[in-house]
C-alpha cells in the first residue's frame, strides 16, 4: 500500500456535438496517506466520477499530475483497484473465479489464488456463494464480491465510485459497516466517492467536499472505530460532523 | 368426457417428462397422420404424392444400397468444413472490427456490400473459377457462414459494457489476456447466435449448391430423383433435411446457448 498525491489536477472535456469545451475538474490538489480512508463528497455533476476515472487511469487528465507511491499514473493498472457502482463482475466467471481474477493475472498458481480468494470471500461472509455465478446473487452480494475482488489483488489504492448507490437502504448500511470492518482488518488506502454526506462521515477518516470541480474543504473525522449505525445514529459528534459537511456542500 | 381427456392429458405430461424426446416427436404425429390420410384417400395420383410408408421403404432401400449414408456423410462433411472455416475466419475478423475503430471504418462498408451479394449469386463465377467440385461448394458455405458470424461477433464485442474492460485492466489484465478473459466470453452469446444463423443459411446454401454443381450429397440426391421422376426420393430428401437440422439445432446449438448466455444471465431464460 502506498500514498496518493494529486497536484493541480484538471480535466476539460470536449463536447463534439456542441463544439465546446467543458471543464469538469479545476485545479484539484489532494494528498492521501497510506492506510487512509478518504471520502470525496459532492453534488451530482461536480466531477467526482471524473476525478476517480483519472486516478484509475481510465481517462487522461488534461492538467496537473497524479502520483501513486511517487510514480505518475499512465493508464489503468493493478496498483489501483476499482469498485464500480454497476459491480462490473464478470458474468461468465463464478464468484470464486471473479475474486481470483487479479491474482490470476499476476500469475499466481491456481491452488494459491483460490486460497486467497476463499480467504477474502470469508472476510465478506460469502463462502457459501463461491461456486455461484454473479447473475445468481442479490445486488448486495454482488457488490460484496466487487469489493473483495478488488481487495484480493492487494492494490496500493482502492478506488470506489458510489459502490453502494444501487442497493436498498438496509443492505447499504450493512455493507457500510462491513466495509469499515474490512478496512480496519486490512488497512488499504481508500478513496471512496459518494453524494451521501452521512455515508461519507460514517466511513471516512477524512471527508473532502467537492463542488463544481473544486475542493471546498477537507474535514477530519475523529469518530472512534469500529463504527456501527446503531452507535452512531444518535451520536452527537456524528451529527455535528454530518451537519458541517452538509452545510459545506449545500452552500456552494 | 372431460375427466377422460384430463386423464389422457396427465398421462401425456408424465410420459413426456420421463422421455423428453417424445415431446419433440409428438407435434409431428398429426402432420404425418394427415399426410397418410390424404394419400390413402387418393386425392392426388400416387406418383405425385406418395405416402409415408413408401418414403420409409425408399429410405430402407437407399440405406441398404449404401447411397444414403454416403451422400449424408458428404453433405455433413461439406457443411462442417465450411462452417469450420467460416467460424475460424469470422470470429477474429469480427473481434477486430468490433474492437478497432479504424478497422470498422475500413471494413464495415465492404462487409455490408459483400453480404448483400448473397451466396448463390456467386455460383456462376465460382463454377468458372473452380469448376464443379468441392472447392466451389466450400467457398459458398464459408461465404454464407462467415457473414452472420462476423456481424454478430461485432455486435457482441460492442455490447460488452466498458466497465468490464476497465475492471479487467484494473485487475492487471494485459491486452492479449483481455481478448480471452473479457472480449471472447462477453461476445460468446452473440457468436453462438451468429453461428446458429450461419449454419442455418449454410445448410440451405449447401443443398442449393449441391443441386446445381453437386455430384453427391442430399441436394444432389433430390435433384437426381427429379430427373428420374422419383417423387418418393425427393420427399425423403426433404424430410432428411428437416430432421438433420432439428438434430443439429437441438443437440448441438441449443445446449451451447444454454451453457453460455443463460447461466451468465446475459440472455433471458
Ligand atoms: N465524457 C464526457 N464528455 C463531456 N462531458 C462530460 C463527460 N463526462 C462527464 N462530463 C461532465 O463533467 C461534469 C462532471 O461529471 P461527473 O460524472 O464527474 O460528475 P459526478 O460528480 O460523478 O456526478 P454524479 O454524482 O451524478 O455521478 C458534468 O458536468 C458532466 O456533464
Ligand atoms: Mg459519478
Amino acid at each position: 500500500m502506498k500514498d496518493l498525491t494529486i497536484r493541480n489536477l484538471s480535466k476539460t472535456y470536449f463536447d463534439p456535438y456542441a463544439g465546446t469545451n467543458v471543464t469538469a475538474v479545476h485545479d484539484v490538489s489532494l494528498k492521501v496517506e497510506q492506510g487512509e480512508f478518504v471520502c470525496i463528497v459532492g453534488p451530482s455533476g461536480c466531477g467526482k466520477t471524473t476525478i476517480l476515472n483519472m486516478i484509475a487511469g481510465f481517462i487522461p487528465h488534461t492538467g496537473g499530475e497524479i502520483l501513486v507511491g511517487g510514480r505518475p499514473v499512465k493508464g489503468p493498472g493493478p496498483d489501483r483497484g476499482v469498485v464500480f457502482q454497476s459491480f462490473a463482475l464478470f458474468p461468465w466467471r463464478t464468484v470464486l473465479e471473479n475474486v481470483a481474477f487479479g491474482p490470476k493475472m499476476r500469475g499466481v498458481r491456481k491452488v494459491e489464488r483460490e486460497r486467497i480468494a476463499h480467504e477474502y470471500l470469508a472476510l465478506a461472509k460469502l463462502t457459501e456463494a463461491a461456486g455461484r455465478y454473479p447473475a445468481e446473487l442479490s445486488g448486495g452480494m454482488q457488490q460484496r464480491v466487487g469489493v473483495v475482488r478488488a481487495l484480493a489483488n492487494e492494490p496500493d489504492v482502492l478506488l470506489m465510485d458510489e459502490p453502494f448507490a444501487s442497493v436498498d437502504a438496509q443492505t447499504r448500511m450493512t455493507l457500510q459497516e462491513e466495509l469499515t470492518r474490512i478496512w480496519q482488518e486490512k488497512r488499504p488506502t481508500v478513496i471512496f466517492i459518494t453524494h451521501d454526506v452521512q455515508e461519507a462521515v460514517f466511513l471516512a477518516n477524512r471527508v473532502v467536499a467537492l463542488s463544481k470541480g473544486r475542493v471546498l474543504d477537507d474535514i477530519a473525522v475523529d469518530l472512534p472505530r469500529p463504527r456501527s449505525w446503531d452507535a452512531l445514529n444518535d451520536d452527537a459528534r456524528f451529527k455535528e460532523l454530518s451537519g458541517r459537511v452538509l452545510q459545506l456542500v449545500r452552500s456552494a | 368426457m372431460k375427466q377422460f381427456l384430463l386423464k389422457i392429458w396427465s398421462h401425456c405430461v408424465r410420459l413426456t417428462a420421463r422421455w423428453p424426446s417424445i415431446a419433440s416427436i409428438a407435434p409431428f404425429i398429426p402432420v404425418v397422420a394427415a399426410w397418410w390420410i390424404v394419400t390413402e384417400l387418393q386425392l392426388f395420383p400416387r406418383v405425385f404424392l406418395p405416402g409415408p410408408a413408401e418414403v420409409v421403404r425408399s429410405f430402407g432401400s437407399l440405406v441398404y444400397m449404401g447411397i444414403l449414408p454416403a451422400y449424408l456423410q458428404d453433405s455433413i462433411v461439406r457443411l462442417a468444413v465450411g462452417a469450420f472455416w467460416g467460424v475460424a475466419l469470422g470470429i477474429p475478423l469480427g473481434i477486430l472490427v468490433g474492437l478497432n475503430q479504424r478497422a470498422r471504418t475500413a471494413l464495415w462498408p465492404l462487409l455490408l456490400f459483400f453480404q448483400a451479394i448473397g451466396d448463390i449469386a456467386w455460383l456462376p463465377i465460382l463454377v468458372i473459377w473452380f469448376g464443379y467440385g468441392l472447392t466451389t461448394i466450400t467457398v459458398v458455405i464459408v461465404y454464407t457462414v462467415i457473414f452472420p458470424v462476423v456481424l454478430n461477433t461485432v455486435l457482441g464485442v460492442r455490447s460488452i459494457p466498458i466497465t468490464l474492460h476497465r475492471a479487467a485492466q484494473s485487475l492487471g489484465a494485459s491486452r492479449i489476456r483481455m481478448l480471452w478473459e473479457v472480449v471472447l466470453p462477453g461476445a460468446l452469446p452473440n457468436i453462438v447466435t451468429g453461428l446458429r444463423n450461419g449454419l442455418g443459411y449454410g445448410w440451405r446454401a449447401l443443398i442449393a449448391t449441391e443441386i446445381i454443381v453437386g455430384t453427391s450429397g442430399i441436394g444432389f440426391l433430390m435433384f437426381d430423383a427429379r430427373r428420374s421422376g422419383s417423387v418418393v426420393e425427393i420427399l425423403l430428401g426433404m424430410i432428411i433435411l428437416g430432421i438433420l437440422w432439428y438434430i443439429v439445432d437441438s443437440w448441438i446449438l441449443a445446449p451451447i446457448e444454454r451453457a453460455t448466455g443463460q447461466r451468465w444471465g446475459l440472455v433471458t431464460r
Side-chain angles (χ1 to χ4, degrees), chain A residues 44-45 47-50 85 161-162 193 195:
Chain A
S44 185
K48 304 184 297 291
T49 298
T50 304
Q85 182 178 344
D161 186 5
E162 307 203 28
I193 294 215
H195 57 253

Side-chain angles (χ1 to χ4, degrees), chain B residues 45-61:
Chain B
R46 270 267 137 123
V47 277
F48 279 10
L49 185 65
E54 285 148 284
V55 172
V56 170
R57 222 173 297 130
S58 143
F59 173 77
S61 73

Side-chain angles (χ1 to χ4, degrees), chain A residues 226-239:
Chain A
R227 293 178 188 169
S228 74
W229 282 109
D230 286 340
L232 287 181
N233 254 333
D234 312 305
D235 187 274
R237 183 80 187 127
F238 177 74
K239 280 185 184 160

Side-chain angles (χ1 to χ4, degrees), chain B residues 37-100:
Chain B
I37 290 168
V38 167
T39 51
E40 283 308 299
L41 290 177
Q42 306 265 351
L43 292 180
F44 304 99
R46 270 267 137 123
V47 277
F48 279 10
L49 185 65
E54 285 148 284
V55 172
V56 170
R57 222 173 297 130
S58 143
F59 173 77
S61 73
L62 281 175
V63 169
Y64 181 74
M65 290 187 289
I67 295 174
L68 195 57
Y71 280 10
L72 206 56
Q73 191 187 341
D74 282 353
S75 288
I76 290 174
V77 168
R78 284 166 191 163
L79 183 70
V81 169
F84 172 81
W85 285 109
V87 169
L89 298 171
I91 293 177
L93 188 61
I95 287 178
L96 177 73
V97 172
L99 286 180
N100 189 301

Side-chain angles (χ1 to χ4, degrees), chain A residues 11-16 20-25 40-53 59 85 161-162 193-195 210 212-213:
Chain A
K11 174 73 187 181
T12 304
Y13 288 110
F14 179 68
D15 185 340
T20 53
N21 288 320
V22 183
T23 301
V25 176
I40 297 179
V41 62
S44 185
C46 73
K48 304 184 297 291
T49 298
T50 304
I51 291 180
L52 193 106
N53 282 345
I59 57 174
Q85 182 178 344
D161 186 5
E162 307 203 28
I193 294 215
T194 177
H195 57 253
L210 201 70
K212 304 200 184 97

Side-chain angles (χ1 to χ4, degrees), chain B residues 112-142:
Chain B
L112 291 185
F113 175 83
F114 282 106
Q115 185 204 19
I117 295 178
D119 36 48
I120 312 291
W122 277 91
L123 266 183
I125 200 162
L126 287 177
V127 168
I128 293 175
W129 287 348
F130 302 119
Y132 289 85
L134 187 62
T135 317
T136 300
I137 295 177
T138 308
V139 169
V140 170
I141 307 296
V142 173

